Amino acid sequence: MQISMTVNGSDVTSEIEPRVLLVHYIRDVLRLTGTHWGCDTSNCGTCVVLMDGQPVKSCTVLAAMADGRAITTVEGLATGGTLDPVQQGFMQEHGLQCGFCTPGMMLTSRALLDVNPHPTDTEIREAISGQMCRCTGYATIVRSVQWAADHPQGIHEADETVEMATTDEMDQIHARIADATGEEVGA
Amino acid sequence: MTITVDHPANPAAGDADRPMGYGRIQRKEDPRFVRGKGHYVDDIVLPGMLHGAILRSPVAHARLVSIDTAAALAHPGVVAVITGQDLLGLNLAWAPTLSADVQAVLVTDKVRFQGQEVAFVVAEDRYAARDALELIEVEYDVLPAVVDARRALDPDAPVVRDEIEGRTDNHIFDWEAGDAVETDAIFASADVIVSQELVYPRSHPAPMETCGAVADFEPIDGTLTLYETSQAPHAHRTLFAIVAGIPEHKIRIVSPDIGGGFGNKVGIYPGYVLAVVGSIVTGKPVKWVEDRSENLMSTSFARDYIMQGEIAATKEGKILAVRTNVLADHGAFNATAQPTKYPAGFFHIFTGSYDLQAAHCTVTGVYTNKAPGGVAYACSFRVTEAVYLVERLVDTLAHQLEMDPAELRLKNFIKPEQFPYLNKTGWEYDSGDYERAMRLSMEIAGYDELRREQKEKRERGELMGIGISFFTETVGAGPRKHMDIVGLGMADGAELRIHPTGKAVVRISVQSQGQGHETTFAQIVAEEIGIPPEDIDVVHGDTDQTPFGLGTYGSRSTPVSGGAVALVARKVREKAKFIAAAMLETRPEDLEWEKGRWFVKGDPSVGKTIAEIAMGAHGTVTLPEGIDGNLDAEVTYDPPNLTFPFGAYICVVDVDPGTGHVTVRRFIAVDDCGTRINPMIIEGQVHGGLTDGVGMALMQIIEFDEAGNNLGGSFMDYLIPTAMEVPNWETGFTVTPSPHHPIGAKGIGESATVGSPPAIVNAIVDALSPLGVTHIDMPCTPARVWEAMQGRARPPV
């Protein structure tokens, strides 16, 4: 069958089998591999994309059902070369580690902020509760979304200060190692 | 106009204050991941690539009577169907495991666990491959299954591994550590002895990305390129050379971005071998990516230890000895990943953080009709089990003595001045200041105030519990003399090359699965050499591009590979000194180092930066004798000992008296991993591990029914904590460097997974103690907690 949809602002038309899942259409046909596939029971949410602005688990939508719809994937989250504040927030607040859940988490967060620009932590947790992360323990994801809420225009250059270990701290550490080993370390 | 933020990491890039070492800097990995531009295995598409799918056994134990593949082969798009008989012809039906046992790649004689690999279909697309699975006709002659490890050694138990010559039972190994006689003597005269059976139920690491591979065998020159979800690509290359008979120099393993590992991606699974066989048979690249159910049912499980634990003490609360007998369920094949001499991993660290007079353990491994595994899920080679054992026993003792569990621990800690401390089972702990960490954790928690709150709540009939876990980890396997995996010593290599313009590339043998190696290893080089981290590329995961080493698991990256990287940077720095001396026409011994620069002692204005030296090394400077040009070095680091990070965890739970539902209200985690390379990344590691702890303590279990059906084979039943089940973590730290490590750093990745479950269970038992509950086995689901509240606590099946 033939389907047409808008993906990240571009019109696409394809001939597909009716049974093809949207997640496989996006990944295998359109080669947009930022959308992931982490389970087979619709629990994990690594496949979340936006369909007409609403987060959907694309493993649980047939590509045919997306006919005529507008889909946003992680690849379409940045606009005009500028990262979405949500993307910036995840980097600022260490909201990702292996990166596998990240695209889905960010899209859900974007949809949340679109309707609720200043969510509470609990509202963020509820919004992402259909999605699993095995690395972060979620707290930094909540912080990442709050960062995006606090920086609705994003930033052009990151304004986060870099907290380096101070010279004093490093000297203390080196001294302790030297005490223990009799070897000079560091510089 | 808008400005594109190309490198949001290291915002100070370009100015003079660029970070040159340790501290909180953003990750170099993030820019690609937040754009959906990671490169995971299933993202790989090669020309002509085919798709493989595995037919799996629906039963746990059965003779294979026949397989009919004709209909599957006739299905449109199907290119090949491979069975065990085909593999027998290639001598690939069985593959060696990481425990020197063998594992069936495809079933030839009988099925030994539900979900076991029976046949492999290769087709033009993933849907056709799945269609064809349903067209394969298999006849099974079902046998009784060995499910309960406690009955695996019964004389009438079915024999799982009857293909092994002379094998008439399900016994795998007996192993012991410590001194039984000495321990028994102390127990015989102790004032107080507390005994408790503790079950650490079977769970699964369940990384968000499942296991998968793309195999590309090139028949003309006989080379194999294998893209894999592998935490240990070099070890895999060697094993593939042995298994598949392909010369090792013609095998290239590439571990691309990996969507979490957690120990799940250490071993070689039949799917990888089948992808390779599929590529050899079809002459085309073959992709195999398992689905979630396959991942949960057939890849490495974790834990499954039944522990009889006993602790002896004086009535004043001086802990004297611990002993334990363990029954370890290893499933149908012994594929447990651990150093060869340690069939129970590092379980003998079960003496914990306490100064004991004696300790002894025995561990018996048995076969059952379940998937293989055991060591996975951030266990540091069975340290999860060891820490759970001792921390539950100490709490049980505290209850018996009517002592505060914090006070009992403080009374028995190994003291700072006792390090290096040789414990009673042979470990030499490197360093520790336990009381300081415990007191900090209690301070953050407001421990005394919490106890007051609990007292008030108890008077109102509310169930609030406070649980403590103080753990000592043992990570960084390990000294080559004692530790190898299938004969490969556990050392790690590093190569550092400074380009003429002063940018650098460091090649490492370990493999990140999200732990941030691309950032933190650059920081180690930055700290040692003085080149900013963003100017240092960290290359890992490609066996053609990196030095040999054993990979990332057991929190060994920082202890072993981190040591290698620091040492290789120092080697380069030393070489740079000689080149700088030549450039400055002075003697090397007259030079002094400041981060990024050698200068003349007493005249800091005269010097050469590392970039200038790099250009000199590649230029026309007349180099001193013995210096061969370029600015690079390589090392292999054989660590002298493991590192022993530790932590003080306090958990606060509320239990709903009507339903048994447990809420983890607060969790305070103080960790000490010595020198901290990147506090932001450490915090993330800890958060993730604490969430594992909530999962294991409250909801995760892979159970089986009597027929051996896996009851936890999907995310419908195998429950993963979401953002709703975990609190906002409260973390703190102390710094007690490892004296033997080049930068004083210890591993941290698994600490929280190891340390948190006992804190949560201790909190739950504490909450339920007014009801007379003294123990409850994980997972503490509402149903199981409710049963415990009715006095019917039972071990999980």
Side-chain angles (χ1 to χ4, degrees):
Chain A
M1 64 179 292
Q2 192 180 67
I3 55 167
S4 298
M5 65 185 86
T6 308
V7 178
N8 300 331
S10 301
D11 294 331
V12 296
T13 297
S14 302
E15 193 65 39
I16 58 154
E17 282 188 71
R19 64 173 172 169
V20 168
L21 299 174
L22 181 59
V23 64
H24 288 139
Y25 177 69
I26 290 168
R27 289 181 51 83
D28 295 349
V29 179
L30 303 181
R31 301 289 302 129
L32 295 171
T33 54
T35 303
H36 297 141
W37 186 55
C39 77
D40 43 22
T41 46
S42 200
N43 297 92
C44 83
T46 59
C47 63
V48 163
V49 298
L50 302 184
M51 186 154 79
D52 294 339
Q54 292 294 319
V56 295
K57 289 177 174 172
S58 63
C59 74
T60 313
V61 176
L62 294 169
M65 294 160 70
D67 187 40
R69 308 291 201 103
I71 302 293
T72 303
T73 70
V74 62
E75 290 89 347
L77 201 45
T79 51
T82 301
L83 292 181
D84 189 288
V86 169
Q87 291 171 298
Q88 295 183 3
F90 272 69
M91 292 197 290
Q92 292 285 335
E93 298 295 337
H94 192 33
L96 69 151
Q97 292 182 30
C98 82
F100 205 76
C101 76
T102 312
M105 288 286 185
M106 293 191 306
L107 287 160
T108 299
S109 305
R110 169 41 55 215
L112 171 70
L113 293 177
D114 283 347
V115 295
N116 182 357
H118 299 290
T120 63
D121 283 3
T122 305
E123 286 169 337
I124 295 168
R125 286 179 180 270
E126 281 176 5
I128 61 168
S129 65
Q131 288 163 274
M132 295 172 183
C133 169
R134 301 291 287 137
C135 297
T136 66
Y138 303 105
T140 56
I141 293 180
V142 174
R143 288 184 213 162
S144 301
V145 180
Q146 289 292 13
W147 188 97
D150 292 343
H151 299 78
Q153 308 304 316
I155 46 169
H156 292 166
E157 285 184 70
D159 54 7
E160 183 86 344
T161 51
V162 176
E163 296 165 29
M164 298 302 295
T166 63
T167 310
D168 280 356
E169 281 165 357
M170 285 312 303
D171 285 350
Q172 281 173 22
I173 289 168
H174 290 149
R176 278 201 217 167
I177 301 168
D179 280 351
T181 61
E183 268 177 58
E184 277 301 312
V185 292
Chain B
M1 69 172 277
T2 52
I3 299 165
T4 305
V5 185
D6 271 330
H7 299 286
N10 303 331
D15 67 40
D17 299 323
R18 289 197 284 181
M20 296 281 199
Y22 308 150
R24 179 195 158 102
I25 66 165
Q26 285 176 30
R27 299 201 322 162
K28 289 152 68 78
E29 295 91 333
D30 289 355
R32 67 177 185 273
F33 290 148
V34 301
R35 289 170 168 85
K37 297 295 182 189
H39 307 282
Y40 303 91
V41 162
D42 199 18
D43 302 344
I44 293 168
V45 174
L46 299 178
M49 187 178 78
L50 303 172
H51 295 261
I54 293 172
L55 180 73
R56 292 178 182 276
S57 171
V59 292
H61 199 190
R63 296 258 162 234
L64 187 65
V65 178
S66 64
I67 303 183
D68 183 350
T69 60
L73 261 173
H75 186 69
V78 172
V79 181
V81 181
I82 295 161
T83 66
Q85 285 304 314
D86 302 324
L87 295 186
L88 278 176
L90 298 166
N91 204 22
L92 284 174
W94 296 81
T97 68
L98 298 178
S99 279
D101 191 1
V102 291
Q103 171 172 6
V105 176
L106 289 177
V107 172
T108 53
D109 53 346
K110 68 175 188 179
V111 163
R112 290 176 177 80
F113 68 91
Q114 188 187 47
Q116 194 182 339
E117 298 79 1
V118 175
F120 188 61
V121 170
V122 183
E124 283 163 7
D125 72 73
R126 62 175 98 221
Y127 283 60
R130 292 281 167 150
D131 287 343
L133 293 184
E134 299 188 11
L135 300 172
I136 301 173
E137 297 276 350
V138 186
E139 193 185 335
Y140 298 100
D141 177 12
V142 176
L143 302 167
V146 185
V147 179
D148 185 350
R150 289 182 170 90
R151 298 176 58 190
L153 298 178
D154 288 356
D156 60 344
V159 179
V160 177
R161 297 297 298 281
D162 53 358
E163 95 287 357
I164 303 174
E165 205 174 316
R167 169 66 70 185
T168 55
D169 63 23
N170 294 312
H171 180 264
I172 308 175
F173 66 87
D174 286 312
W175 184 80
E176 66 175 322
D179 189 322
V181 174
E182 196 175 58
T183 306
D184 290 349
I186 285 178
F187 267 87
S189 63
D191 298 341
V192 185
I193 295 172
V194 182
S195 304
Q196 180 64 53
E197 182 192 87
L198 299 154
V199 177
Y200 211 135
R202 179 175 284 230
S203 63
H204 192 283
M208 285 322 309
E209 178 204 33
T210 61
C211 299
V214 178
D216 185 10
F217 182 74
E218 171 53 64
I220 296 168
D221 53 10
T223 55
L224 171 67
T225 305
L226 182 60
Y227 304 87
E228 263 193 314
T229 49
S230 171
Q231 296 178 220
H234 286 278
H236 276 209
R237 184 184 64 185
T238 305
L239 286 167
F240 264 101
I242 294 165
V243 174
I246 300 169
E248 195 165 357
H249 67 294
K250 290 188 178 289
I251 302 175
R252 178 185 173 207
I253 306 270
V254 180
S255 284
D257 289 327
I258 296 182
F262 315 109
N264 191 223
K265 296 167 178 172
V266 175
I268 293 185
Y269 294 118
Y272 303 155
V273 180
L274 292 168
V276 172
V277 171
S279 184
I280 292 172
V281 167
T282 63
K284 292 186 172 171
V286 172
K287 175 185 281 185
W288 166 74
V289 176
E290 68 189 3
D291 64 28
R292 176 57 54 191
S293 302
E294 296 180 280
N295 176 256
L296 289 170
M297 289 177 74
S298 71
T299 64
S300 184
F301 75 89
R303 323 293 187 253
D304 218 343
Y305 261 33
I306 300 169
M307 304 181 278
Q308 296 291 341
E310 287 188 290
I311 188 165
T314 67
K315 54 186 182 304
E316 293 80 25
K318 171 67 191 151
I319 303 173
L320 302 172
V322 176
R323 65 184 174 193
T324 180
N325 299 313
V326 177
L327 183 62
D329 185 341
H330 280 231
F333 308 102
N334 189 19
T336 312
Q338 79 270 294
T340 304
K341 290 180 191 165
Y342 302 89
F346 301 159
F347 179 73
H348 50 311
I349 194 80
F350 70 87
T351 59
S353 311
Y354 311 104
D355 186 17
L356 305 184
Q357 295 176 8
H360 181 250
C361 72
T362 64
V363 181
T364 297
V366 295
Y367 289 121
T368 59
N369 286 113
K370 300 175 189 172
V375 167
Y377 206 177
C379 77
S380 310
F381 303 116
R382 301 288 189 187
V383 182
T384 30
E385 290 89 330
V387 165
Y388 182 69
L389 174 89
V390 65
E391 287 305 294
R392 276 295 296 129
L393 286 178
V394 168
D395 250 45
T396 311
L397 176 66
H399 184 259
Q400 180 76 24
L401 294 171
E402 295 180 355
M403 270 182 83
D404 182 276
E407 193 188 320
L408 179 61
R409 286 176 171 86
L410 285 163
K411 197 178 175 111
N412 286 281
F413 280 150
I414 301 163
K415 306 276 183 295
E417 61 273 18
Q418 288 178 276
F419 294 91
Y421 174 85
L422 186 66
N423 89 336
K424 291 293 176 184
T425 55
W427 293 103
E428 188 181 281
Y429 295 20
D430 57 353
S431 62
D433 189 344
Y434 296 166
E435 180 170 345
R436 187 165 57 135
M438 188 72 237
R439 299 242 181 245
L440 176 59
S441 188
M442 291 167 75
E443 187 185 315
I444 297 172
Y447 187 73
D448 295 340
E449 179 54 35
L450 282 172
R451 286 290 177 202
R452 273 195 292 277
E453 182 191 349
Q454 180 183 42
K455 190 160 175 288
E456 288 164 19
K457 287 197 164 166
R458 276 193 181 158
E459 281 160 12
R460 295 198 297 268
E462 293 175 41
L463 301 173
M464 168 186 165
I466 304 159
I468 297 174
S469 164
F470 194 102
F471 62 92
T472 298
E473 259 270 36
T474 176
V475 298
R480 189 147 49 181
K481 177 165 67 160
H482 311 296
M483 293 180 187
D484 67 273
I485 289 196
V486 288
L488 301 171
M490 300 187 79
D492 278 89
E495 295 174 11
L496 175 62
R497 188 175 298 271
I498 317 285
H499 298 312
T501 52
K503 315 289 181 190
V505 57
V506 61
R507 300 169 190 278
I508 58 175
S509 57
V510 291
Q511 171 59 33
S512 180
Q513 315 116 47
Q515 301 94 326
H517 292 170
E518 290 171 37
T519 304
T520 52
F521 281 87
Q523 288 183 268
I524 297 173
V525 175
E527 175 72 23
E528 297 289 338
I529 288 279
I531 297 173
E534 69 269 24
D535 289 343
I536 302 162
D537 235 12
V538 178
V539 176
H540 59 101
D542 183 337
T543 56
D544 273 8
Q545 298 283 328
T546 54
F548 188 89
L550 271 256
T552 295
Y553 43 83
S555 303
R556 65 186 300 282
S557 290
T558 295
V560 191
S561 201
V565 166
L567 293 180
V568 81
R570 287 175 198 169
K571 208 168 166 181
V572 166
R573 192 168 77 198
E574 201 58 20
K575 184 174 178 178
K577 178 163 78 171
F578 285 88
I579 297 166
M583 294 171 80
L584 295 165
E585 299 181 343
T586 183
R587 297 181 309 169
E589 54 269 35
D590 292 336
L591 294 181
E592 199 170 328
W593 173 258
E594 64 178 351
K595 207 186 275 186
R597 182 171 177 271
W598 285 106
F599 66 92
V600 175
K601 277 178 193 163
D603 189 0
S605 67
V606 180
K608 292 288 177 190
T609 66
I610 203 81
E612 289 165 338
I613 299 167
M615 189 59 91
H618 292 85
T620 58
V621 174
T622 304
L623 297 170
E625 194 160 334
I627 300 290
D628 57 1
N630 298 352
L631 192 52
D632 53 17
E634 56 182 85
V635 301
T636 300
Y637 181 62
D638 179 19
N641 189 5
L642 283 81
T643 67
F644 296 75
F646 54 92
Y649 290 0
I650 298 176
C651 174
V652 183
V653 301
D654 295 308
V655 181
D656 184 321
T659 64
H661 180 265
V662 176
T663 302
V664 177
R665 180 179 8 131
R666 289 183 65 196
F667 201 108
I668 296 91
V670 170
D671 277 278
D672 188 324
C673 59
T675 304
R676 293 154 60 84
I677 299 164
N678 187 324
M680 176 189 84
I681 285 178
I682 291 170
E683 184 191 37
Q685 294 285 289
V686 171
H687 285 186
L690 297 176
T691 306
D692 289 345
V694 169
M696 277 182 288
L698 299 187
M699 56 186 81
Q700 292 171 355
I701 184 169
I702 304 279
E703 277 183 299
F704 295 83
D705 68 13
E706 283 180 9
N709 291 305
N710 185 320
L711 305 179
S714 87
F715 279 162
M716 302 301 280
D717 300 298
Y718 188 71
L719 305 178
I720 301 289
T722 73
M724 301 299 284
E725 284 84 42
V726 295
N728 256 316
W729 311 107
E730 301 167 64
T731 57
F733 68 96
T734 57
V735 178
T736 312
S738 173
H740 64 73
H741 190 268
I743 61 170
K746 305 183 183 186
I748 180 70
E750 296 169 324
S751 283
T753 310
V754 163
S756 56
I760 300 167
V761 175
N762 284 344
I764 295 167
V765 173
D766 185 47
L768 300 181
S769 63
L771 307 176
V773 174
T774 56
H775 178 68
I776 173 168
D777 281 311
M778 299 181 283
C780 300
T781 59
R784 293 178 50 78
V785 170
W786 193 84
E787 282 176 358
M789 290 163 71
Q790 316 307 311
R792 291 191 278 117
R794 59 185 172 89
V797 179

